[in-house]
Amino acid sequence: MIAEQIVNGVVLGSMYALVALGFTLVFGVLDKLNFALSELFMLGGFVVIASVGLGAPLWLAGILVLVVCGLLGLVVEFVSFRKFTSADAQVTAALSSLAVGLIMIDLVQKTWGGEPVSVPVPIEWRRANVAFFGMQIQVMKIVILAVTLVLMGVLHWLISRTAMGRNIRAVAESPTFATLLGIDVKRVNQQTFFIASALAGAGGLMFSLRNGIASSDIGFTFGLKALAIMAIGGMGDLRGAVLGGILVGVIESLAIQFGFGKLGEIIVWALMILVLLARPGGLFGAAHTTEQRA
Amino acid sequence: MSQDLLFLTGVNILMAWSVYIILLSGSLSFANGGFMALGAYAAGVLTVKWGMNFYAALALAGIGTGLVGALLAYPALRTRGVYLILVTVGLSFIIQTLIQNTDYVGGVRGMTGMMGTTNWHVWGLIAIVGVGLFWLSRSHLQRQLDAVREDERVAASLGIDVVYLKVVCFAVGAGLAAIAGGLYSHYMVFINPDHFNIFVSIYVVLYVVLGGVNNFIGPVIGASVMTLLPELVRGLQSYRPLIFGVVIIVLLLVRPNGLLSFRLRTLGAHKEGGA
Amino acid sequence: MSDTPLLDVRAISKRFGGITAIDDLSISLFKGDILGLVGPNGAGKTAFVNCVTGFYTLSGGAIHFDGRDISALPLHQRGRLGLARTFQNIRLFRRMTVAENVACALRDHADRPLRSLFRFGGDAGFVRAARDLLERVRLADKADQLAGSLPYGEARRLEIARALATRPKLLLLDEPTAGMNEEETQELLADLRRNADLIPSMIVIEHDIKFIRDVSTRVVAMDYGRKIAEGSAAEVFAHPQVVEAYLGAGDADV
């Protein structure tokens, strides 16, 4: 039972990790919080519903999620981040993206109503199990894990192997320096937002496939946890986001297993607060002390 | 205007002020919905389960939550900017989840039986807090708070105890949110943890951002406009979040300090101090 | 008590990661001293001011001020003990008025800020005190302007007035004449002399060697975070290591 809960936790955590990767990418590059990502996570499920409703097969719907959420990410960048470039505008940009998130929730509720909507996944998909070391594991969970791993692999390749990734890393290191090198920072910001938003959307896609529903409130009930996970893993630390996501997913699953129920929801936030206070560099990063700005 | 609407406006003004008071020292709190919940439940338990006098319960809820706020603030204020936003968002979730799991106050099903608040209570408190904030705006303390908000390290080097001021502001803001919560629960008769979810915290912060962060009138304008406008203009009601979101986005782009962006001077000419 | 120094910096060091900004530096200063601190850019002069005033925490060593070990004290307590400073890159409260910038630094009710809420006599005392300080730095006519609107030279003077409002025992000026022309520099010198009654002791970081000669009673030269020479202005500027440090840094002012 515990092993199964750990597997469940890893599945849950991999979805958290996708959104946390989005948060941490944006923070790493721009030093800003993009609150709209948790609502793009929420939108992921609804894009599936809409595309399948229009007759798209599920694999195409999945790709559409990435594209649509990515494009919406560009809108968020334009509306809430383009003008607020200075370090002083950190809070302003966060508030603005929060407002964009509120609009997304409202538009979804206007279109699909406030109640959860079921995602058209063939029931046998969700029923199918395979035996694995004596455990019965839903095929769906394996698919989710596989897709997540592929996406993470692609992200790793993009960041570490491509010219775009090199530029993104340069801007994350120092926007001023990157400009001097002739890197188009605006373009890098857009690329970052597209990737981050597509990842958040993918997280939402996985979530809706696992649960069979999409709901307008999962952005702040689940998506915002990814924000905490980003902080736990170290803000701007990609590896930390993945490890943090899986850690939190497993802890939450075990908390349910041991009868803590919803109280488990506190763990992620409490852990985040502790990490921010005691190890601002993240749970897995080197414990670097930063001299306060003079 | 209906009694309920008048009441809701009043509570939102108090909540906006509770955020404004914390913001006086330069910290943005997304935990005030949580403090409101603590006050609402604490006052409710005191009157309904312990039979305490309404006013005493309110005062006790306010002071108690203020102390909790001070205890939380002391470590939390080591972080700043977006980090403090994260910490306060976390506090909001933690408080809500704790209440959901406390059977003594009904858990997710909520709690009932509180009564006794009238609009007189709410608006009387607004008058008192308003006079207090006006008094503050003319004081040496306000000047020191403004200095802290502009550059806290420099302010500290001048001998201003920044941490102390921040903790005091956080405690007072938390206490005011709690009293607003106590008034709310004793008007609504029934409350559940969902009444105080993260959106309450977010909305209240946005009231202040909308109305203006530099003077104590701004939050009143922000809270009033966003509570009343959708109710009074026919057909707008169901578009409230949409309109609110758009207004905030546009405002941040064109008037980042809010509608009323002037700052009241603490010395000399009392005219506006520029945007 | 003239045998114990007002400021006694004992073998302090400050490291950032692998970089050493200050290395085993000892400086002492007596009441009434005006210490000129010179050295090429990056010598650690500003870092020294940051260590003394509490903007940096020390990596090693100790600082005693007025008979107390202040090495571990936070910023505001050092301010209250009588340390005040200005900044190389002026840091005024730009959205507050000129008068408010000075007034917020005035000591009040033994530093219990909440007490000021219970003063019913109005702000007359603060207005008078702020005005007096502004007159001393020739800014009285700008009292109601926003500090952010002041031109460079006036902003520097306001920063000095704000520091003086705390009634410091030791004033630390970080490049007070940076960006000023000869005439403005002379005016600033006159301002400092005129207000000598409010400046019991002072440390001045300056690149303008003439200014240092005019103002200081003693000079310390730094390079690579260390003290390389100490003595009268004439002695220090004749010191071979100082000459070399300046020439090496490509500074032809010597």
Side-chain angles (χ1 to χ4, degrees), chain A residues 291-294, chain C residues 14 56-57 91:
Chain A
E291 183 74 43
Q292 278 183 300
R293 192 172 54 90
Chain C
K14 177 64 195 173
Y56 287 170
T57 48
R91 286 169 79 170

Side-chain angles (χ1 to χ4, degrees), chain B residues 17-27 77 132-156 158-173 213-216 263-264 266, chain C residues 80 93-96 100-101 103-106 108 112-117 126:
Chain B
W17 269 343
S18 77
V19 168
Y20 170 77
I21 288 171
I22 296 176
L23 194 60
L24 278 173
S25 64
S27 328
L77 291 172
L133 286 173
F134 172 74
W135 184 256
L136 174 72
S137 77
R138 311 275 308 118
S139 73
H140 189 60
L141 177 60
Q142 175 80 50
R143 208 148 43 223
Q144 298 201 318
L145 289 168
D146 289 343
V148 170
R149 209 160 108 182
E150 289 249 332
D151 190 334
E152 60 184 70
R153 304 270 285 160
V154 173
L158 296 170
I160 298 170
D161 191 342
V162 173
V163 176
Y164 172 71
L165 289 183
K166 283 182 170 241
V167 170
V168 168
C169 285
F170 206 82
V172 174
V213 294
N214 291 332
N215 61 74
F216 71 97
R263 171 181 167 268
L264 296 164
T266 61
Chain C
R80 289 176 184 186
F93 306 124
R94 297 173 59 83
R95 298 189 311 158
M96 294 164 69
E100 284 176 324
N101 264 272
C104 73
L106 289 165
D108 180 48
R112 292 160 99 161
L114 298 192
R115 289 274 185 90
S116 75
L117 279 181
F126 286 102

Side-chain angles (χ1 to χ4, degrees), chain C residues 38 45 72 97 114 117 126 128 147 184 188 217 248:
Chain C
V38 299
K45 306 185 297 293
T97 67
L114 298 192
L117 279 181
F126 286 102
R128 211 177 314 114
E184 288 170 322
L188 184 77
T217 57

Side-chain angles (χ1 to χ4, degrees), chain A residues 83 110 220 272 292-293, chain B residues 75 80 86 153 199 238 253:
Chain A
K83 200 184 158 195
K110 290 271 179 309
F220 57 94
M272 174 198 77
Q292 278 183 300
R293 192 172 54 90
Chain B
R80 64 186 80 192
L86 288 179
R153 304 270 285 160
F199 282 111
S238 60
L253 287 169

Side-chain angles (χ1 to χ4, degrees), chain A residues 85-144:
Chain A
T85 48
S86 74
D88 299 340
Q90 233 188 3
V91 173
T92 314
L95 291 173
S96 181
S97 65
L98 203 53
V100 174
L102 291 180
I103 294 174
M104 288 176 179
I105 296 173
D106 201 40
L107 287 177
V108 165
Q109 291 184 343
K110 290 271 179 309
T111 315
W112 283 283
E115 297 301 310
V117 184
S118 72
V119 175
V121 182
I123 192 77
E124 50 284 14
W125 277 46
R126 303 183 10 87
R127 288 259 176 82
N129 282 319
V130 289
F132 184 77
F133 285 108
M135 288 181 282
Q136 288 289 312
I137 297 178
Q138 284 176 312
V139 174
M140 185 60 88
K141 286 179 183 164
I142 294 171
V143 171
I144 288 172

Side-chain angles (χ1 to χ4, degrees), chain A residues 79 83-84 91 95-96 98 100 102-103 105-106 110 220 227 235 262-263 266 269 272 276-277 292-293, chain B residues 28 30 75 78 80 83 86 90 93 97-98 100-101 153 199 209 238-239 241-242 246 249 252-253:
Chain A
V79 170
K83 200 184 158 195
F84 306 125
V91 173
L95 291 173
S96 181
L98 203 53
V100 174
L102 291 180
I103 294 174
I105 296 173
D106 201 40
K110 290 271 179 309
F220 57 94
L227 200 64
M235 300 176 63
K262 257 190 85 83
L263 215 50
I266 287 182
W269 294 106
M272 174 198 77
L276 283 178
L277 294 179
Q292 278 183 300
R293 192 172 54 90
Chain B
L28 194 55
F30 280 86
R78 281 172 56 191
R80 64 186 80 192
Y83 297 88
L86 288 179
F93 273 109
T97 312
L98 281 178
Q100 282 170 344
N101 287 279
R153 304 270 285 160
F199 282 111
V209 171
S238 60
Y239 290 94
L242 195 67
V246 172
I249 290 167
L252 286 174
L253 287 169

Side-chain angles (χ1 to χ4, degrees), chain A residues 43-269:
Chain A
L43 273 177
F46 286 96
V47 175
V48 176
I49 293 172
S51 354
V52 173
L54 292 170
L58 206 52
W59 64 268
L60 181 60
I63 291 171
L64 279 174
V65 168
L66 299 184
V67 174
V68 172
C69 288
L71 291 176
L72 285 171
L74 294 185
V75 175
V76 176
E77 191 271 337
F78 180 73
V79 170
S80 301
F81 291 84
R82 181 72 59 84
K83 200 184 158 195
F84 306 125
T85 48
S86 74
D88 299 340
Q90 233 188 3
V91 173
T92 314
L95 291 173
S96 181
S97 65
L98 203 53
V100 174
L102 291 180
I103 294 174
M104 288 176 179
I105 296 173
D106 201 40
L107 287 177
V108 165
Q109 291 184 343
K110 290 271 179 309
T111 315
W112 283 283
E115 297 301 310
V117 184
S118 72
V119 175
V121 182
I123 192 77
E124 50 284 14
W125 277 46
R126 303 183 10 87
R127 288 259 176 82
N129 282 319
V130 289
F132 184 77
F133 285 108
M135 288 181 282
Q136 288 289 312
I137 297 178
Q138 284 176 312
V139 174
M140 185 60 88
K141 286 179 183 164
I142 294 171
V143 171
I144 288 172
L145 273 182
V147 174
T148 308
L149 274 177
V150 168
L151 285 173
M152 285 175 185
V154 170
L155 178 70
H156 180 76
W157 173 76
L158 278 176
I159 297 290
S160 62
R161 292 274 184 277
T162 66
M164 179 178 80
R166 206 186 55 224
N167 290 350
I168 288 179
R169 278 181 288 138
V171 175
E173 196 67 38
S174 159
T176 334
F177 196 59
T179 314
L180 290 178
L181 289 174
I183 294 170
D184 183 349
V185 174
K186 188 183 100 182
R187 202 180 145 81
V188 169
N189 288 351
Q190 286 174 324
Q191 289 163 339
T192 308
F193 266 78
F194 188 93
I195 298 171
S197 308
L199 286 172
L205 165 72
M206 303 297 148
F207 194 86
S208 66
L209 291 183
R210 190 195 70 158
N211 294 6
I213 53 160
S215 168
S216 62
D217 62 7
I218 63 162
F220 57 94
T221 52
F222 282 89
L224 270 186
K225 275 190 214 164
L227 200 64
I229 289 162
M230 164 188 69
I232 291 169
M235 300 176 63
D237 180 349
L238 295 178
R239 194 181 57 110
V242 175
L243 294 176
I246 290 170
L247 177 74
V248 168
V250 171
I251 291 178
E252 285 193 352
S253 295
L254 290 179
I256 291 170
Q257 170 72 15
F258 290 112
F260 290 101
K262 257 190 85 83
L263 215 50
E265 306 258 305
I266 287 182
I267 294 167
V268 59
W269 294 106

Side-chain angles (χ1 to χ4, degrees), chain B residues 30-73:
Chain B
F30 280 86
N32 285 33
F35 295 134
M36 184 186 186
L38 285 183
Y41 274 93
V45 167
L46 289 176
T47 56
V48 175
K49 300 196 188 243
W50 294 15
M52 193 185 271
N53 169 285
F54 172 58
Y55 296 100
L58 266 189
L60 211 59
I63 293 168
T65 308
L67 289 176
V68 171
L71 279 179
L72 294 172

